[in-house]
Amino acid sequence: RLAIQNALNAQHCAYLPTGRYDIVTPSFIPPARRIYDMLVLPDDSVLSGDGLASVLVFRGNAGQQDWRGIGLNNDRSAVHDLWFDTSALTNTSEQTHVIHVTGPVDTFDVSHNYFNHPDRGELGGDCVQLTGYAVTPIVHASIEGNNFDKCDRSGVGVHSGTYDLSIVNNHFGTVGDQPIDFEGSGSEADAIDGVVIDNNVIDYMPGSQGEMSVEIQMTRNLVFRNNRVAGRGLFVFGCVHCKFLHNV
């Protein structure tokens, strides 16, 4: 963990060639709080590998606290061509996300990754979660070509304050909640604005629990097109200037 983080800090780039990389959650003694993010990408940085051949295995005791594998908290960062495996992580909390984007962030890319973030019931989280607000927005975001094979809750969860978001060419498999979930904050100022959801495959797998394939709330200027949605439908509430085109 420290070697990868040091590379990101020093040269804003960490390339992980074919291999298995154990990312061990640091131990701590309560009531002290440990770090949330196992790895944090600084501005203008890239974390990448050789696709399925480069496996990041997150393990260790999360101490029933919030836990995040990758923190995208800075501008112009990218994570691509990696396999994320959290199956060895124990004692998790409700907010346990593989990749977490915390605004304000301007421009990030999550592409061509594979996620094995298995079901933890109430004590887990999303494969990718975006948390922004009007005062701390997330803008120019791209989530493309990923395989969300297993996600404890959502494949992509968006909680308000996100603008210019593209979710394209992804595959969603077994998830415990909606594969794509736009929660919204209930505030017009924090709405999700300018979204393209295009050419995704959303399968209905035996372990899936969410009633809907996609849940869209408090969203403006959305285009949902060319998606294949199997077994479940869409829930839409408070969507302004939204188009749904050529889906099956």
Side-chain angles (χ1 to χ4, degrees):
R1 186 182 71 84
L2 289 176
I4 297 171
Q5 187 64 61
N6 288 340
L8 288 168
N9 293 343
Q11 57 202 34
H12 294 247
C13 177
Y15 163 64
L16 307 180
T18 297
R20 171 190 170 113
Y21 300 83
D22 281 337
I23 310 297
V24 180
T25 300
S27 60
F28 68 101
I29 300 176
R33 298 184 67 86
R34 57 159 184 78
I35 60 172
Y36 284 162
D37 302 311
M38 297 300 99
L39 296 169
V40 179
L41 271 66
D43 286 346
D44 302 294
S45 61
V46 177
L47 175 64
S48 65
D50 288 332
L52 288 174
S54 299
V55 187
L56 272 71
V57 178
F58 294 101
R59 63 173 63 252
N61 187 338
Q64 293 185 329
Q65 296 192 35
D66 292 351
W67 182 99
R68 302 189 285 255
I70 308 293
L72 299 184
N73 312 322
N74 298 291
D75 298 338
R76 300 172 302 279
S77 58
V79 178
H80 63 84
D81 294 288
L82 292 164
W83 179 356
F84 297 105
D85 184 353
T86 68
S87 59
L89 190 65
T90 62
N91 201 18
T92 58
S93 80
E94 181 185 2
Q95 301 298 323
T96 298
H97 310 294
V98 182
I99 295 178
H100 190 269
V101 186
T102 307
V105 171
D106 186 344
T107 309
F108 78 85
D109 173 67
V110 173
S111 59
H112 306 290
N113 300 293
Y114 183 95
F115 292 86
N116 178 33
H117 184 47
D119 181 20
R120 290 182 171 82
E122 293 297 322
L123 300 179
D126 304 328
C127 281
V128 178
Q129 186 180 83
L130 284 63
T131 304
Y133 297 95
V135 294
T136 55
I138 297 169
V139 297
H140 307 133
S142 176
I143 300 172
E144 180 175 358
N146 301 283
N147 188 332
F148 297 96
D149 183 57
K150 293 180 182 177
C151 297
D152 176 58
R153 292 208 306 247
S154 296
V156 178
V158 184
H159 183 74
S160 70
T162 300
Y163 307 89
D164 188 17
L165 168 63
S166 175
I167 302 174
V168 178
N169 297 327
N170 301 283
H171 175 264
F172 296 87
T174 301
V175 300
D177 204 343
Q178 282 66 242
I180 300 175
D181 189 4
F182 288 11
E183 297 179 359
S185 67
S187 168
E188 183 69 15
D190 286 330
I192 301 159
D193 196 344
V195 179
V196 175
I197 303 175
D198 188 14
N199 201 39
N200 299 281
V201 176
I202 303 173
D203 283 333
Y204 185 70
M205 307 298 286
S208 298
Q209 299 172 7
E211 295 180 355
M212 300 294 173
S213 289
V214 178
E215 186 166 307
I216 298 168
Q217 300 187 61
M218 302 301 295
T219 302
R220 301 185 296 244
N221 301 310
L222 175 140
V223 177
F224 187 89
R225 67 187 174 210
N226 301 322
N227 300 287
R228 193 185 82 190
V229 181
R232 293 172 291 172
L234 280 62
F235 174 85
V236 182
F237 175 79
C239 199
V240 179
H241 301 302
C242 298
K243 300 178 180 180
F244 299 86
L245 307 168
H246 311 299
N247 303 287
V248 294

